[in-house]
Amino acid sequence: MSVAEFAIADISQDSWPTAAWAACLVHALVRDEAAGRRPARLTEPGLATWNRFRGRLAVTDLLALLFEDAAVLHPVPFSARAIGGPPGPGGLDRLPDSLVQTWLEAVPTLDLERPSAEYIAAVASALELPTRMARSDLHVVKPHQTVLELPGSGGQLAHHITSSQSNLALQDNFTIACETWQELTLAGIVALDRAAPHTRFVSELAPDDLRRPDHPLRQRNFDFVIGLHPDKGGHFHISDELAIWFSGAKVLLV
């Protein structure tokens, strides 16, 4: 079962944002539990702990509790307020219990051995974000260097670099800028996957925002500025413009 199937099965269009967000986070928690980074709750056989104390609570309440707990260290992506997106009116309660129950029953079928890069690409597809980018064109980053990832890719480039360079840490070397809740959700899942709870995110950053000379990001020094090439859906068409805004940084649009 793919992340996309897990996220949108049998859901109405108006509930899609909440369903996609919630299902991707359930999958992320399952992988985190399997990696031993949090107690087994969703992967516990028979959901034993939950069934002992649930009483009259619904399965959507289980998701709410798990998301609230995870948001202590990772408000992005587990807090809807932090990502500026779903759930909409009605919150998680708008999701049918039958749908959430289907997700819980599908947990044992998820491929938890799937390579991290494939998993992140699948989440991006489920959130309807671009996945086609020339990652191999990215440069080697040194441990003392800093990188800004532009809106559009949701942390996928930072994930690739930190996965291929063991001497880097997402929370130390990268700032991930996002425009939409989908990008911020993916970036937060990237941080969870890389065990980097203090990653720096910039939310709701529209491309035009960077054209303001007084924007806070323009006041910072980066060694690299990376993002999607315009042919792949990137927002910026003239890399020389970015080079002027971020003087001294190497600009790479892939």
Side-chain angles (χ1 to χ4, degrees), residues 86-192:
L92 290 171
D93 290 340
R94 73 186 302 175
L95 297 179
D97 281 354
S98 58
L99 177 65
V100 177
Q101 186 63 42
T102 298
W103 296 346
L104 299 181
E105 292 171 357
V107 163
T109 73
L110 296 175
D111 181 6
L112 302 181
E113 299 300 323
R114 191 176 196 181
S116 182
E118 292 182 12
Y119 162 67
I120 292 299
V123 176
S125 294
L127 293 170
E128 300 184 345
L129 294 173
T131 59
R132 190 172 58 92
M133 55 198 78
R135 295 171 177 84
S136 60
D137 291 344
L138 294 168
H139 288 201
V140 172
V141 177
K142 297 178 181 179
H144 67 276
Q145 294 179 317
T146 57
V147 183
L148 170 65
E149 182 166 344
L150 296 167
S153 48
Q156 293 177 78
L157 301 179
H159 183 271
H160 172 78
I161 294 173
T162 55
S163 297
S164 58
Q165 293 186 232
S166 60
N167 59 345
L168 300 179
L170 194 70
Q171 57 197 12
D172 295 333
N173 298 96
F174 290 83
T175 297
I176 303 175
C178 302
E179 181 179 10
T180 66
W181 69 263
Q182 292 99 320
E183 292 174 26
L184 203 52
T185 295
L186 178 60
I189 290 174
V190 164
L192 188 72

Side-chain angles (χ1 to χ4, degrees), residues 161-242:
I161 294 173
T162 55
S163 297
S164 58
Q165 293 186 232
S166 60
N167 59 345
L168 300 179
L170 194 70
Q171 57 197 12
D172 295 333
N173 298 96
F174 290 83
T175 297
I176 303 175
C178 302
E179 181 179 10
T180 66
W181 69 263
Q182 292 99 320
E183 292 174 26
L184 203 52
T185 295
L186 178 60
I189 290 174
V190 164
L192 188 72
D193 182 77
R194 300 302 300 157
H198 304 297
T199 297
R200 290 180 291 271
F201 304 104
V202 179
S203 61
E204 298 180 350
L205 181 70
D208 282 345
D209 293 339
L210 283 179
R211 293 184 168 86
R212 300 196 334 258
D214 62 342
H215 192 279
L217 282 178
R218 296 271 298 270
Q219 314 310 310
R220 294 177 55 186
N221 294 320
F222 294 99
D223 296 290
F224 292 94
V225 175
I226 60 177
L228 289 176
H229 191 278
D231 291 346
K232 309 291 179 59
H235 299 298
F236 300 97
H237 293 263
I238 306 173
S239 60
D240 287 342
E241 187 177 39
L242 290 168

Side-chain angles (χ1 to χ4, degrees), residues 13-24:
Q13 190 61 35
D14 63 334
S15 295
W16 177 86
T18 301
W21 175 73
C24 287

